[in-house]
Structures are given as C-alpha cells and as structure tokens.
Amino acid sequence: MIARVIVDVPSRQTDRPFDYEVPLALEGWVEAGSRVGVPFGGRVLQGFVVGVIPSEASEVDMSKIKPIAELLDPLPPLRPDLIELASWLSVKYCCTMIAALQAMLPAALKGKAERTVRLSESFEEQEPEAAAAVLLPDGLREWLRRSGPVKLDTLRERFPDAGAYVKAAIRIGLLEEQVAIRDKVSIRKVQTVIPPVDREGAAEALAAWPARAGKQRDVLAFMLDAEGPVPLQKLLADTGTTGSTVKALVDKGWLTMREVEASRDPYAGRTFQRTEPLPLTEGQQEVLKWIVASIDAREPKPYLLHGVTGSGKTEVYLQAIQRCLDQGLQAIVLVPEISLTPQMVERFKGRFGDAVAVLHSRLSTGERYDEWRKIRERRAQVAVGARSAIFAPFESIGLMIIDEEHESSYKQEESPKYHARDVAIMRAKQHGATVVLGSATPSLESFAAATAVRPSGNNGAGGGAPLLLAMPDRVAGRPMPPVTVVDMREELQGGNRSMFSRTLYAGLADRLERGEQSVLLLNRRGYSTFVMCRSCGYTAACPHCDISLTYHQKTRVLRCHYCGHSENAPSACPSCESEHIRFFGTGTQKVEEELAKLFPGIRVIRMDVDTTTEKGSHEKLLKQFGERKADVLLGTQMVAKGLDFPYVTLVGVVAADTSLHLPDFRSAERTFQLLTQVAGRAGRHELPGEVVVQSYAPEHYAIQTAQHHDYDAFVREELAHRRAMGYPPYCRLILVTMSHEQLPLLTEVGDRFAQRLRDAALAAGVYGRVDGTSGPRALDVLGPVASPIARMKDRYRFQCMIKYRGNVDATALLRETIRPFMEGSEGRGVQFGIDVDPHMIL
DNA sequence: AGCACGCCGACT
DNA sequence: GTCGGCGTGCTC
C-alpha cells in the first residue's frame, strides 16, 4: 500500500502529497489521518497521511518511493472530515495544506526529528583497528558507554569539537545513528500503587507488624482500605511518608506499582456546583424553539441571534446544548479569548460536568493536549474554547455556538488567516449541524447576510443565509442604562481642562460616597508606551522594522513587537543628548494619576497591557474588583467585555472617539460595538446603572446610536456608508502583502504582479471599478502601495488590495496569477502573504 | 524549510 | 592549486 503524505515543510513548493510505502508491519495501522515520520530529502520529518492507495495506483516512479519510518500515534489525530476541512481552508485562505492541518491540532502534536547516537555494541570487538582509527576524544567514549543512546544536540553541547570524530565513527559503524520524531510533550504517566492481592495475608502481617517500621504499617493499612490503585502522589501525601517507605513494601512483595496514563486537568481539585436549567423568558423560549427544531432536523443551518446585553443568551446556549447531548450529538461553544474566564467555564462545567473540555491559550501545551484528547477519545461531548476550538475532533456535531460573534479575535492573524465563523459554517455542512452566531452587536457582515443584503453570488463558506433571531429585552425586565453623551469641546470652552467632564466627575464622586463601583474605559488602540525626546522629537524606533519600540517598565527595556529586538532604555536622547527624554505612558496611567489627585484615597484597579502580562493577572484583578476591593476599574478594551458585577452602577468612557477616526473602514463599527458592550456592563442587577460617554464628536452616528441603544439605526447608517464607499458587505477584500530586502526590486515585482492580476481579471471579463454603484460582477486591484508598517524584520513591505463583488472566484484568479511569482524566477525572492477577508487593514 | 550540488574569491 | 562563499533546485 502507498500512503499519500503531506510533509511538515511550510513551503508552496512542497505543498502537495508525497507517496510513501506502508511497511508490512504498519499495514492496517496507517490510515488517512495518521501522523507519521517519513524520510524527506535527507532528513526525517513529521507528516500527515491524507489517503492510502494501492501500490499500483501511485504515479510516482517506484524507485523513488521510500517507506514510512514510523507511526506516531495509535489513534489517528485527524478525522476524515478534518482532512476535507483542511483542503477547503487551504483553498479559501490560500495557505499550504500543512499550515491548515497544523492549525487544527494542538501544538503538542508538532513533533520534530531528534537524532540520537549510541556506541555500536559489537563493533569495537570485531574491528579494533577501525575503531582505533577513530579515536573518540577522552571521556566521550566512556560517556557514551555509560549513558546509552545520547541526543546529538546534547553530545554537541558537551563535546563541541567532536564533530569530525563522530562523523567518521558513524561512517565506519562504530557509532549508530537513529532519527525519530519526538513530540513537544508526551502523554503524562503517573505511578500508581496497587493494593495487596492477598488482603487477608496482608491484614495478618499488619497485625504482627514490628513496631519500629511504623511508617510501613501506616502505608500498608492505608492500602488495605483502598478500593483500587492509588496514585503514588496521593498515597505519599495522605500518609505523610516518602517514596522509600513505599518502595520497601514493594520490595517485600506486599504492594505493586504500575504506570498509568493520566490527564493534566487544569481544573483539578475544583468542584463545580451542579446547576439546573433556569426557567426561560418568552423571548428565550421562542429562540430556543427554533434552534432545537434545527438541531433535530440535522440540516446545516446558521442562525444569527441578536440579543441585547443581559438578555440571557448563555442560558439559551446551555439548553440547546442539552438537546444536542440528548440526541447523542456533540457541541462546540466559541467564546472570545478575553472572556473565557473561570466564571464562564463554571457555567458550562456546572451544567455538563466532566462532559466539558476547555480549550484556550492560557493552558500549557500539555494541558491543551489532554483536553483535546478528551474530545478525540470521546470522553467529552462539549468543547468550550477560543477560536481554534472550532476544530474540535468530534464525530457528529449537532451545534456550534459562536458567542460575541462580532469579536475580531475570531479572525486568526497568522496563516491560515481563517475566520472561525466561516469554518463553523463549513463544518456545519459536513455534519448537518446548526450554527448559532450570538451577539448584542452583530458584525455588519453577519447582519447583512441574515437580512439578504450581501454581495450577490456568495462564494464564501455558503450554507445559506443565517436566519435572524432576536432577543430585544433584558431578563427580569431590567432597563438598558441611560447613556449621557458629554461634548468635551463645550467642557473646554467652559474652562474645564481636565480629562473628566463635570458630569463624569460628579458621577464618580457620587459612587464613592454610596460605596458603589465604577468602570472607566479608555478607548485607545496602540496603547503601548513609547519613548520620545521632548527637545528634538526623537522617538525610539526598531532598527529592523518601521515601528516604535515599546517601553517595558519592569525591565527598563525597549522592545519591538514585531521582531523581538530589544535594547536598554536610554537615559539621555541618543540624537541630541538632551535629558528631556520621556516615556509616554499608556494613558491609563495618566488617568489613574488624575483620579488619585481628584479623589484622594480612591482605590483604582488598572487593567492594561502593563498590568495583565503575567499569567492569571487578568483574572486576579477582576476577582479583586468583584470582591469590592476597589472603587474603580480602569482599563482599555478589555474592561468592556463580558464583565458582570452587581455593584457597578457607573460606566464612563473617557474618550469615545479615539477609535473613530482610524483609517479603517470598520472604525465606526468598532466604536459602536465597544460603546454598546461597555454600556451593557452597568446596572445588570438590582441597582440601576448609568453610562457617561465623553466625546469630541458627539454628533457622530456611531455615538448617537450607541447612546440610544439603537443597533438597527446604526446598521442603517453604516450600511449606507459602506455602500457609498464600496466596502464590505457590498464587496469582498483580499489583501496581498509582498516583502523583500531590496526596495527597488520589490516595487518592480509588485507593479508587475498587480498588472498581471489586472490582466487576468480583464481576460476573465470581470475587471472593473468596485464601488456602491458598480455592476453585479467586478474585480479591482488597488495598489501596490507601501504597507502601513513599511519595513519589518529588515524587509520592505508593499501591499495590494483586491476588491471584488459578485460571483467572482477571486482566490482562484489570485492563485493562478501568483504561482509564477512564487515558483518561477519572476518573483525573485519576494515573499507573498495573502489575507482573505482581512480585518486589520492597518 | 533544509540540504545538496555547482561555479568564482582568499588562503596554505 | 584548494577551501568555502551562498545561488538554484529538489525532496516521494
């Protein structure tokens, strides 16, 4: 048999299956989805089997075909549907197959070759002369004799000069070399102790136990009470002994030890209060009815659930999932990374217990792998996680929920640059599953699709337009909090030069007096600290990238976000030697100082990049705030999402329009979403809430509509703008980024590439302007222009924007045009990056 | 991506 | 005259 293998080489030239012979010993074990080690161009690599065919069906010359070196997992990590999904991903997002496959699997399964050497056992005796000719340095041979197989890397570390000897020794067979794929983490093994088989005998022995071996007696007594194997760690902890005591009992034959597989459970030791389904409001019932009917019908159907903040979407999710489980189907819940807090996990674990696997980036590689295996081995039926959990290897999915559907974290910014929403809709087709996109502020793309305003001829994931479901009311009839918009220009004219308007100041003072809490949002992107000289205007920039360096207060180091370059912070300006060099803070620091000045003794928790880099710090800060250990929670975007504290009665937005005027067509949408989300943090419980929004452009529709909690009005305005400007959802975009070390070469290749693309579009009869008034089918190529970050890692960057609408297979056109640039001499080393449906235009 | 094979500069 | 620079080209 021949296995068709995708090898782990992230290059377009190797982006196709290679044929390998399945050794007789592995026949029946190697199947589509298996992970294998294969020889490839003089080394051993990891690869994924995407198909197994009879030997005669291979089109490769027999003499070229090598055998598979090893099989890496007993159970293939990939299911057939995931292989199919990977092909779809690689086509839709123009990425390599290996990148698509790897995106679906936990990092633990990215094994690398490890080379080991060991002394040949018989060689020295049989060929003493040859052995003598390769006099391995003193100590090296002795070391090898003692330690058995040794990692080549380790050997190089300890004997840096031994290279030539080792090579010669391998050549004549004195040393044997072995190459195997080694995973980043392995399946965790735990020692367990097994109770005595002869319980009566043990009991008798115990009765007559010598007094001096008291510890052994305790251990044996403990084990007699045990019903089954006891983990060694637990036994030691419970009896207060050490390993030697147990070992003595093992040696005497009373106990035996065994190694068993174990999971690293990130929630070990935590018990989750079992919760029962809550009674639903009429609105919730109506929505649930639709979803349940859809799950039962097992037809792939997407729903857009537009529910205002506090309308009880999560309870609907929980009951829909229950329906799935009752039907023997599995469910996936996606939550934005930032809101995947312990409270969120608790709601799912509380309802479904051990059937829940949790997948998020804060887990260690090993923990993630174990949670993933719970799914693969059918020990879990519900996956709750961030973006990549959409690839959970379930067998038959009934429901996929994407909560806070509008969140940009569902778009992956590295290759493959997929959007979890599109993947969900594709998987739904494969499984006959229902998709629920939930949000208080649905993305314009989803809303437009659900209301049939979309570019004609959807060539995306397809699956039909989502049906719009609405939950316009908060549970228990709680009102939306009133929003006051303060015109900061008037404040300034009125003589108030502080960053707080009189309204916000009064609000804060009032909460302090009443012992209630406030949330302050500083809506600011690119909130990192940077260094500037106040005398000459010098700013510290990365020598490899066109970007300012970020100042890290703790280590007093300047670091580049893009390439990792770091240097010590200067004490004087490197340009003019002035000492007026300043570290400009995040803005939140400034607000914090101002608060301390205005309200002496105020307790502030600041949440921004500086205070949340440490693991778990995010949760710790929120916990403190929840315990009312602070009066004000001050932060960036991250305070807007999913928080629910009963004593928060005031939400202030310090400067609402800082995100409004970014050169990005989504800036109004982002601003509206942020304001609406943050406003939803107030008055979620008995105490009524209030929101104060400070702005220099209070008349802007994004702010006006957010003030009135009027999503529909916002969408109307925004859609009109998008139509006029010819932006999504009235067209689709593909961003092509090109980079090279040499600028002239890059501009030349870039221009030619754009021209080729226009020619191709012209030949296909679709070339034309794309805006609100253009015809039903058109594709336009804008640029190339210098990227907003014009240089990164010593490479210049240019980009082209492809805009198209209607039934145009733009990715196919792009792939065909790009091929000669990638493979042939035409590209001349220019690197191409493709982002389909980009989110970051900047 | 690596590693090999292949043509032109600074060394024993 | 050789060692080695990294420029193309292939990997089942």
Side-chain angles (χ1 to χ4, degrees):
Chain A
M1 298 297 269
I2 295 290
R4 315 213 67 210
V5 176
I6 301 289
V7 294
D8 186 9
V9 179
S11 137
R12 288 226 146 58
Q13 278 164 70
T14 49
D15 188 25
R16 60 190 172 86
F18 287 82
D19 288 2
Y20 288 89
E21 182 200 326
V22 179
L24 231 48
L26 292 180
E27 219 152 270
W29 290 91
V30 170
E31 55 187 302
S34 292
R35 192 169 59 114
V36 292
V38 290
F40 189 75
R43 56 208 168 122
V44 175
L45 291 177
Q46 172 175 296
F48 292 96
V49 178
V50 291
V52 177
I53 55 172
S55 300
E56 55 277 14
S58 173
E59 285 166 17
V60 181
D61 192 57
M62 282 285 271
S63 62
K64 278 183 165 180
I65 296 182
K66 297 175 183 172
I68 288 174
E70 58 177 326
L71 174 67
L72 296 172
D73 322 84
L75 185 68
L78 294 161
R79 296 183 160 282
D81 64 299
L82 286 175
I83 298 175
E84 192 189 16
L85 190 68
S87 310
W88 173 82
L89 270 172
S90 69
V91 170
K92 155 117 195 179
Y93 293 104
C94 299
C95 69
T96 60
M97 189 68 181
I98 192 69
L101 290 169
Q102 239 129 31
M104 307 193 303
L105 295 170
L109 293 181
K110 190 169 164 55
K112 279 176 85 177
E114 189 180 89
R115 300 167 72 180
T116 53
V117 289
R118 62 158 184 237
L119 276 180
S120 156
E121 279 175 16
S122 53
F123 188 89
E124 280 180 286
E125 289 85 53
Q126 285 172 9
E127 310 250 7
E129 278 168 39
V134 190
L135 285 170
L136 293 172
D138 270 355
L140 174 53
R141 184 180 294 204
E142 197 41 48
W143 179 51
L144 285 166
R145 203 172 272 143
R146 263 204 325 276
S147 49
V150 169
K151 266 190 272 179
L152 203 59
D153 292 337
T154 318
L155 190 148
R156 266 200 286 264
E157 264 167 47
R158 285 189 57 166
F159 298 90
D161 316 318
Y165 299 108
V166 171
K167 253 187 219 157
I170 290 170
R171 209 165 27 239
I172 63 165
L174 174 57
L175 287 178
E176 284 170 2
E177 191 186 14
Q178 218 181 358
V179 194
I181 303 289
R182 201 182 153 86
D183 288 342
K184 286 222 176 75
V185 294
S186 48
I187 290 173
R188 184 170 158 233
K189 300 274 170 52
V190 171
Q191 286 288 348
T192 56
V193 182
I194 295 164
V197 187
D198 175 14
R199 286 189 180 244
E200 283 171 23
E204 274 171 35
L206 199 59
W209 205 264
R212 50 176 39 225
K215 282 288 183 191
Q216 289 186 24
R217 191 184 57 211
D218 293 350
V219 171
L220 190 56
F222 184 94
M223 287 311 297
L224 271 175
D225 287 338
E227 308 213 327
V230 178
L232 181 62
Q233 286 301 315
K234 182 176 159 42
L235 176 64
L236 297 184
D238 286 7
T239 58
T241 51
T242 57
S244 59
T245 317
V246 179
K247 187 168 180 302
L249 284 166
V250 172
D251 289 344
K252 287 177 184 169
W254 291 115
L255 301 175
T256 42
M257 307 243 285
R258 197 200 309 162
E259 232 182 23
V260 296
E261 284 189 12
S263 280
R264 307 165 185 87
D265 184 356
Y267 299 97
R270 283 199 55 173
T271 49
F272 293 93
Q273 198 68 49
R274 197 80 188 179
T275 65
E276 294 302 321
L278 301 171
L280 299 180
T281 65
E282 240 171 72
Q284 287 174 316
Q285 281 175 37
E286 180 68 17
V287 165
L288 184 64
K289 201 181 75 192
W290 277 98
I291 298 172
V292 161
S294 179
I295 293 167
D296 291 353
R298 301 225 57 192
E299 270 175 48
K301 267 194 196 153
Y303 290 85
L304 177 60
L305 172 53
H306 180 200
V308 299
T309 55
S311 59
K313 291 188 286 288
T314 309
E315 186 59 32
V316 174
Y317 299 159
L318 289 167
Q319 297 196 18
I321 293 166
Q322 186 60 57
R323 181 67 177 203
C324 257
L325 301 188
D326 293 344
Q327 306 270 13
L329 303 171
Q330 297 98 49
I332 298 174
V333 186
L334 295 196
V335 176
E337 185 73 62
I338 197 89
S339 40
L340 197 55
T341 55
Q343 295 98 295
M344 192 74 192
V345 171
E346 203 160 343
R347 292 198 70 172
F348 288 90
K349 287 245 180 191
R351 192 67 59 86
F352 305 114
D354 288 338
V356 178
V358 181
L359 297 160
H360 61 85
S361 65
R362 289 289 169 105
L363 300 179
S364 72
T365 314
E367 286 169 340
R368 249 182 103 83
Y369 179 40
D370 288 347
E371 290 293 297
W372 180 87
R373 279 199 302 140
K374 264 170 77 174
I375 299 167
R376 183 67 186 92
E377 292 164 10
R378 301 183 195 177
R379 289 180 281 127
Q381 282 73 46
V382 181
V384 179
R387 181 178 58 231
S388 65
I390 200 62
F391 298 115
F394 284 126
E395 196 173 14
S396 43
I397 302 167
L399 176 66
M400 282 172 277
I401 293 164
I402 303 187
D403 191 32
E404 310 291 352
E405 166 277 338
H406 61 278
E407 275 286 319
S408 58
S409 67
Y410 290 127
K411 167 82 177 171
Q412 172 144 306
E413 294 296 341
E414 303 89 53
S415 179
K417 303 187 174 186
Y418 67 89
H419 198 295
R421 188 202 300 142
D422 297 335
V423 177
I425 289 171
M426 187 60 202
R427 278 203 100 179
K429 274 182 160 177
Q430 296 178 308
H431 287 253
T434 298
V435 176
V436 175
L437 310 170
S439 177
T441 52
S443 66
L444 262 81
E445 283 93 334
S446 294
F447 188 83
T451 51
V453 183
R454 61 180 173 279
S456 49
N458 186 343
N459 74 343
L467 197 65
L468 186 61
L469 302 172
M471 297 204 298
D473 302 309
R474 286 183 148 188
V475 292
R478 290 190 188 105
M480 295 301 287
V483 177
T484 310
V485 176
V486 182
D487 189 338
M488 290 306 276
R489 295 168 303 194
E490 283 174 18
E491 287 289 318
L492 199 64
Q493 279 162 16
N496 179 7
R497 299 183 63 186
S498 104
M499 60 177 76
F500 298 112
S501 60
R502 283 156 296 183
T503 315
L504 186 51
Y505 176 85
L508 285 166
D510 185 45
R511 304 308 127 142
L512 272 177
E513 200 167 296
R514 289 210 300 248
E516 293 170 7
Q517 292 179 301
S518 309
V519 169
L520 281 183
L521 169 79
L522 193 69
N523 174 21
R524 196 172 142 173
R525 261 168 57 151
Y527 36 62
S528 55
T529 43
F530 65 106
V531 172
M532 191 169 103
C533 173
R534 298 184 67 185
S535 295
C536 71
Y538 160 89
T539 55
C542 176
H544 311 287
C545 312
D546 254 10
I547 197 101
S548 297
L549 292 172
T550 306
Y551 178 58
H552 291 254
Q553 208 156 20
K554 269 197 186 136
T555 46
R556 298 188 54 78
V557 151
L558 298 171
R559 178 164 281 125
C560 173
H561 267 357
Y562 290 90
C563 72
H565 165 87
S566 73
E567 56 189 65
N568 285 326
S571 53
C573 173
S575 166
C576 73
E577 287 167 22
S578 153
E579 285 178 12
H580 294 291
I581 188 150
R582 284 294 173 83
F583 305 102
F584 284 83
T586 55
T588 46
Q589 282 172 5
K590 245 182 174 170
V591 178
E592 190 180 20
E593 284 164 24
E594 184 97 1
L595 279 171
K597 239 183 272 167
L598 292 173
F599 306 101
I602 194 169
R603 299 168 305 164
V604 179
I605 289 180
R606 182 160 61 90
M607 251 173 65
D608 55 29
V609 274
D610 286 341
T611 62
T612 55
T613 39
E614 259 173 66
K615 222 180 184 176
S617 53
H618 187 252
E619 289 155 13
K620 213 162 72 192
L621 293 176
L622 288 181
K623 186 160 174 277
Q624 284 173 12
F625 189 64
E627 289 164 354
R628 301 178 77 186
K629 287 180 179 155
D631 310 300
V632 175
L633 178 65
L634 163 66
T636 52
Q637 261 76 334
M638 53 183 89
V639 301
K641 312 283 161 67
L643 311 184
D644 192 353
F645 298 112
Y647 290 96
V648 171
T649 57
L650 173 67
V651 170
V653 181
V654 180
D657 31 32
T658 43
S659 66
L660 206 51
H661 307 298
L662 295 169
D664 181 336
F665 72 89
R666 271 185 252 262
S667 61
E669 184 181 0
R670 292 225 174 89
T671 304
F672 175 83
Q673 283 165 352
L674 191 66
L675 293 180
T676 306
Q677 296 287 340
V678 77
R681 300 308 116 213
R684 293 174 70 96
H685 298 266
E686 275 77 32
L687 295 169
E690 181 196 358
V691 180
V692 176
V693 173
Q694 304 188 152
S695 168
Y696 290 91
E699 67 285 348
H700 194 284
Y701 64 91
I703 292 171
Q704 286 288 317
T705 52
Q707 177 180 16
H708 300 110
H709 307 289
D710 194 345
Y711 175 81
D712 291 339
F714 170 74
V715 168
R716 266 199 308 278
E717 282 270 359
E718 182 66 8
L719 282 177
H721 276 255
R722 301 274 181 96
R723 181 198 283 275
M725 306 304 294
Y727 272 121
Y730 291 97
C731 73
R732 290 164 171 268
L733 302 175
I734 301 174
L735 185 68
V736 181
T737 308
M738 298 161 275
S739 71
H740 196 275
E741 286 165 339
Q742 295 157 32
L743 188 58
L745 193 152
L746 178 61
T747 53
E748 190 201 320
V749 171
D751 282 334
R752 203 171 49 242
F753 167 72
Q755 198 48 53
R756 287 283 156 80
L757 201 54
R758 290 188 189 103
D759 292 345
L762 208 56
V766 295
Y767 184 60
R769 215 174 119 84
V770 175
D771 57 27
T773 57
S774 57
R777 248 176 129 236
L779 183 147
D780 199 0
V781 183
L782 310 180
V785 295
S787 291
I789 301 163
R791 195 169 57 121
M792 202 190 283
K793 297 178 189 172
D794 289 324
R795 298 178 73 93
Y796 290 93
R797 291 150 45 88
F798 265 66
Q799 63 186 35
C800 273
M801 183 68 82
I802 301 171
K803 246 177 150 178
Y804 65 103
R805 56 186 277 145
N807 183 22
V808 178
D809 195 347
T811 54
L813 205 68
L814 178 59
R815 273 196 309 278
E816 287 313 308
T817 309
I818 229 170
R819 184 169 298 163
F821 282 85
M822 300 274 220
E823 289 170 1
S825 52
E826 207 164 9
R828 288 190 283 161
V830 172
Q831 258 176 34
F832 282 77
I834 298 164
D835 191 347
V836 178
D837 301 333
H839 268 229
M840 306 291 273
I841 305 293
L842 284 179

